[in-house]
Each structure stands twice: as structure tokens, then as C-alpha cells.
Amino acid sequence: MILFLLAYLGGVLTIVSPCILPVIPFVLARADKPFLRNGLPMLVGMSLAFAVVATLASVAGGWVVSANQYGRAAALVLLALFGLTLVLPELADRLMRPLVAVGARLSQSADQPGKDSLVAPFVLGIATGFLWAPCAGPVLGLILTGAALQGANAGTALLLLVYAAGAATSLALALLVGGRVFAAMKRSIGAGEWIRRGVGVAVLAAVVAISLGLDTGFLTNLSVGGTTSLEQALLDRLHPNAKTAMTGPSMQAKPAGGAASDLMVEDLDPSLAGAQQWLNSPPLTFEGLKGKVVLVDFWTYSCINCLRSIPYVRAWAEKYRDRGLVVIGVHAPEFAFERNVDNVKNAVASLKIGYPVAIDNDYKIWRSFENQYWPAHYFIDANGKVRHHHFGEGEYAESERVIQTLLSEAGNKNVPSDIVAVKGSGAEAASDGAEVQSHETYVGYDRSENFVSPGGVVKDEGHVYAAGEPQLNDWSLTGNWTVGPERAQLNEPGGSIIYRFHARDLHLVLGPASESASIRFRITIDGKPPGAAHGMDSDADGNGVVTTQRLYQLIRTPDAVTDHTFEIRFLDAGVQAYAFTFG
């Protein structure tokens, strides 16, 4: 019950949050009309549109973003027509008939005594809901994140409805108060037509601001300062561990299964249902795999820990394929670009993965295993029971012994007893773990730390940053960047990222803002070209190009590991930076 109460309060707080400001003119446009026949239908329509878009977002993930972009564009057109009919209904009717005529009838119907239509405010409410849904604040973000992790269900839908009811309540109060103000003004000065035109101008201004993206930039600076802290307090109450729910171990986690000679059945009932797509195979089920030993590997293609474990998984798949082992890679994305199936296909081809890969963009397989880590290996016997698991890198010999034990249990008489010798290259090479003193660092503000550019991070808007004075594991930006929750994007050429690190290898997850772009860069280490310390994605002079969204290996130090200052300067605008990893 407390969860629903906090969701309702989070909705109520949207009245003073930046993303609700563009909606206010649309609500007040009917503030002088009877609430039950105008304000209430509009709020119902707005809440319904919001709930539908938000529910689709929780269920469908990536594709609903594109769908809602079309809905948002359509809403802007409808609301612009509405604003135009408020300002110049006759001119609008002549210039844009029949669409403007429809908009005029919708907006003018409330002016005809006894002929109030419930349809007009309801339709306008739906249009307003499309604008509200994409930016409704961190409490809503938590609900949608929870839905992505735990699955869309009746509880999630009810939470979204409660949140929408809270926001509708605050808007209803504004509408009722606004109605009294409007009525008083009409009685005192008879300025109804000027009020109508003034509201129309406000509507059109809001449409222009939204279409230019000013509603999430400029309006943020105009919002009440305390709103963010209030919402964040609610966020902490709703889910205190939200920031770490999807974070895997940076290097290696202690396996929870027993020794290979004493493998107990684990209390899991996993399923392979719900994959968006299968690569290298038709859809598989555990029921159809009975009699086979199955290794399920949860991975994502920009994760350095996953990349370093893949050579072993690939070797096991080849070595034991004819002896009853089926390896299944479950690709569960960490970053938004990893939801793109074409990106995953390219990664599968580049990594020479020939075993089946399930695209788990909705985390349905992830949830059925109750998993929380990348990489994670689950070992399933011939009866379909989970017998062992291992999280993170390392202990590969033990994992292979588990495979051999389960194959022998299944009746295979010719199971090899040797352990594969794997030597990865490039980003797949094993980490020099004893020397690594730098840890995974996210560039987006949701999970960033140790950022030392003067003034700190300016969220979600372009800002010119200057280099700080980084100590070990500190980093900074220079140039004009827009830092978002997941990544930072360079707005002008010449910007750079500086990091003080201690490791053999330095990697950075990068991508171009547009699919066909190529972003040139140049790296230095301690102010000089890297020479022999360059990684596989840079040359000895430090030059390289960002062409796709992936992990780039930029430094591999051949000498003794010590502290170094790394800088990558981009010669072109448009690069997106996500996270540093080390090895």
C-alpha cells in the first residue's frame, strides 16, 4: 500500500516539475468551462493516453519509443491547430479546412450553451497525454524500470494508473482554481475573447517550445528547485537499490554452486520463453532440450567482463558439442544501443559466436533465472535442473569440470577429462587482475562518480566543461558536452575526456550519434602519443575512428603497470561516451 501512496504523491508533485509546464496552457484553456463536462473529460483523456503510452513502454521497451514519437508529432499538430483556432478561428478555418474546421468545432463547442461536447475535451486530453508521457519524472522512470526488470503485470499497470491519478489530481486543482480566476476576470472586464486569444498564444508558444526541445532544457531551469529533491526522496523510498539493480561485478564474483563432485539442484525454474529473436538457431525450449546438458551464458556485447569470458564459452561449445552440450548465449542489454538487434548480429559475427543466441531485450529469460549479473553462467543437467552457476570472470577450470560431470551423469561415455587452454586476444585477453586499481566508470550522470571538472555535471543540457586536476580514478570533460543519464554527447569538435588510471588496459564504450557518422579521435597517455601502448582500436600515433556503438580498446600498456593520465580528444562532434572499463 505504501508503494501506491508514494506513486500517487509522485504524480501529484508533477504540478511543480518542469515537464508539466507545457501542459498547463492546454488545461487552463478550458478553465472557465463547467468542470464535469470539460475539465474532467480532458483529464480523463490525458490520463488514459499517458497510461497507455507508459504501459506500452514497460511492455515493449525499444519499439514503443518510435511509436510514441509519431504520437507525439500528431499531438503537436492537433494542439497547434487547437491553439490556432483559439487565436484566429475564422482565419484558421479558411486556411486549413477541413482539419482546422474540426479543431475549431472541438474548441468552440464549449462556447455553445446546452451543446457542450464531451468528445472535444476528451480528444484534446489524449493529445496532451502524448506530450506528458515521455518526460514525467524520476518516479515514473522508476516504475518503468521496475516493469522492465520484473515484467509488466497488473501491479505495474495499477502503479501507472495511480501515478496518473496523482498528476490528474494536481491538474484538476489548477483547473478549478483557474476557472474561478477566469470567471472573475470575465465578470469584471468582459475580456473573454482576449483571454481566449491569450490562452491560444500560450498554447502555440508551448507547442513551439516542445517541438524545439525547450521543454526539457530551458524549462528545467525555470522549475521549482525543490521538486527534484522531493521526487528523489520518493524515489529512494520506492526502491533504495534502484541504481545497483542491473550492475554486474566489475571483475569476478564468488560462485554460489557446490563443487563439481557434489552438484545440488538449485531452486530455480527457468524458461527460455520471451526472447525477442533467436540468432544462429530456431527458438529453443528446455523441454525440447531434455537429455542435453545446457550452459546458459548471460552477456551483453559492450561488457568487457563478458568479452573476456566468451573465448572459454566458445571453446566449450566447440569441444563438447558432439558429446551432448548445448550452449545458449542470452543477450540482455545494459545500454539502449544494445537493444538494436542489428548491433547484436554484428557483434555475434565479429566474436565468431556460432552457438544459439537469444535476444532478451525484455529481460524475460533474465528474470526467470533471477539473474543480476553480466556475465553469468548457469549449468543445467539433462533433466532440465539448474545444478551450478558462476557469476563474473574466472574459475574457468571449475566450470569446465562441472560440464564434464553433468555430461557423465547424462550417460556420455567419452567425456574428455582435460581442460581447454584458452588465450584470448584484443579485448578478449584476460585481465592483468593483480595490477588493476581502476574500476568501471560510467559517464552518464545516473551512475557516474569521481567527476572533477569544475562546477560538476550540468544535467541534460549543453555545457562547456574544463579539465579538472584528476587524481587516481578521477576523470573530467573538456569542451561542449550534453551529459544525460546514460551517456555524454559531444556538441562541438575538439572536446575531450581525461582519466587518471592504473591498469594495463583501458577501454571506452563509444558510438556515433547518427548511424552513418564516423568520429575521428586522437589519444595521448601522459600527454604523448601512446606508441607501443596503443590498443587495437588506436594506432601508435593515437589516431582512431568511432564508427559503431561498441567497446573500444584504446590502451594496452606493454611495460610495468603504473599510474597514467589518459586523454581522448574528438576531432568531430557527435560522439557518445558511455563507460570506461579496465583490465
Side-chain angles (χ1 to χ4, degrees), residues 16-351:
V16 288
S17 67
C19 71
I20 208 70
L21 296 183
V23 175
I24 295 294
F26 309 137
V27 176
L28 294 184
R30 291 182 174 270
D32 60 336
K33 309 301 179 184
F35 179 75
L36 291 180
R37 295 190 61 82
N38 288 274
L40 184 59
M42 182 176 182
L43 291 172
V44 170
M46 186 174 68
S47 297
L48 178 62
F50 162 77
V52 168
V53 172
T55 300
L56 286 174
S58 69
V59 173
W63 69 266
V64 78
V65 175
S66 298
N68 189 48
Q69 287 172 354
Y70 296 120
R72 182 180 174 89
L76 283 172
V77 171
L78 177 60
L79 292 168
L81 290 176
F82 171 55
L84 191 59
T85 62
L86 287 172
V87 178
L88 295 170
E90 296 178 0
L91 178 61
D93 185 63
R94 289 197 303 269
L95 293 178
M96 302 184 68
R97 194 174 295 158
L99 292 179
V100 172
V102 173
R105 286 195 294 272
L106 290 177
S107 63
Q108 293 171 356
S109 62
D111 292 331
Q112 301 176 13
K115 294 184 179 180
D116 284 1
S117 170
L118 298 178
V119 175
F122 181 74
V123 171
L124 291 169
I126 289 175
T128 304
F130 273 110
L131 297 174
W132 176 28
C135 64
V139 175
L140 173 62
L142 173 69
I143 295 173
L144 295 181
T145 300
L149 292 173
Q150 302 301 326
N153 50 43
T156 297
L158 188 56
L159 274 175
L160 291 169
L161 198 58
V162 169
Y163 182 92
T169 300
S170 62
L171 289 172
L173 292 174
L175 186 58
L176 290 171
V177 173
R180 294 173 185 170
V181 172
F182 270 49
M185 291 178 68
K186 279 189 170 184
R187 287 194 301 268
S188 61
I189 62 175
E193 186 60 30
W194 287 107
I195 293 173
R196 174 189 176 93
R197 292 180 178 180
V199 171
V201 171
V203 168
L204 292 173
V207 168
V208 171
I210 293 170
S211 64
L212 294 176
L214 300 180
D215 55 319
T216 56
F218 175 69
L219 288 176
T220 300
N221 295 328
L222 299 181
S223 63
V224 178
T227 306
T228 301
S229 59
L230 286 172
E231 287 186 325
Q232 188 60 52
L234 287 174
L235 188 67
D236 294 338
R237 290 294 304 275
L238 282 165
H239 198 326
N241 295 320
K243 291 185 178 179
T244 59
M246 295 284 287
T247 303
S250 60
M251 285 298 297
Q252 175 182 329
K254 183 68 175 178
S261 60
D262 185 22
L263 301 175
M264 305 297 291
V265 174
E266 299 192 9
D267 186 20
L268 289 172
D269 186 21
S271 170
L272 294 174
Q276 177 181 334
Q277 189 173 335
W278 284 80
L279 308 181
N280 300 334
S281 169
L284 300 175
T285 66
F286 286 128
E287 186 63 30
L289 292 170
K290 285 288 183 66
K292 299 285 189 179
V293 173
V294 180
L295 166 60
V296 175
D297 172 27
F298 285 94
W299 69 294
T300 187
Y301 80 83
S302 74
C303 165
I304 186 60
N305 311 104
C306 300
L307 295 177
R308 290 195 288 245
S309 70
I310 280 177
Y312 294 89
V313 178
R314 195 168 53 217
W316 296 333
E318 295 171 358
K319 180 177 178 179
Y320 298 102
R321 179 178 52 213
D322 297 331
R323 293 174 170 84
L325 176 68
V326 175
V327 173
I328 299 173
V330 177
H331 188 274
E334 179 178 15
F335 297 115
F337 65 80
E338 293 172 314
R339 293 178 175 272
N340 186 316
V341 177
D342 288 336
N343 287 349
V344 182
K345 288 179 179 178
N346 291 335
V348 167
S350 176
L351 295 168

Side-chain angles (χ1 to χ4, degrees), residues 437-494:
Q437 296 180 22
S438 295
H439 52 82
E440 186 172 23
T441 301
Y442 292 91
V443 176
Y445 61 72
D446 265 359
R447 290 186 283 177
S448 67
E449 55 186 1
N450 299 337
F451 181 69
V452 295
S453 283
V457 171
V458 177
K459 297 180 179 180
D460 298 316
E461 63 180 78
H463 180 74
V464 177
Y465 294 90
E469 298 180 0
Q471 304 300 310
L472 182 61
N473 297 327
D474 291 342
W475 65 285
S476 61
L477 298 171
T478 73
N480 193 323
W481 294 81
T482 298
V483 181
E486 185 178 80
R487 69 191 183 206
Q489 180 168 319
L490 181 61
N491 302 317
E492 299 175 356

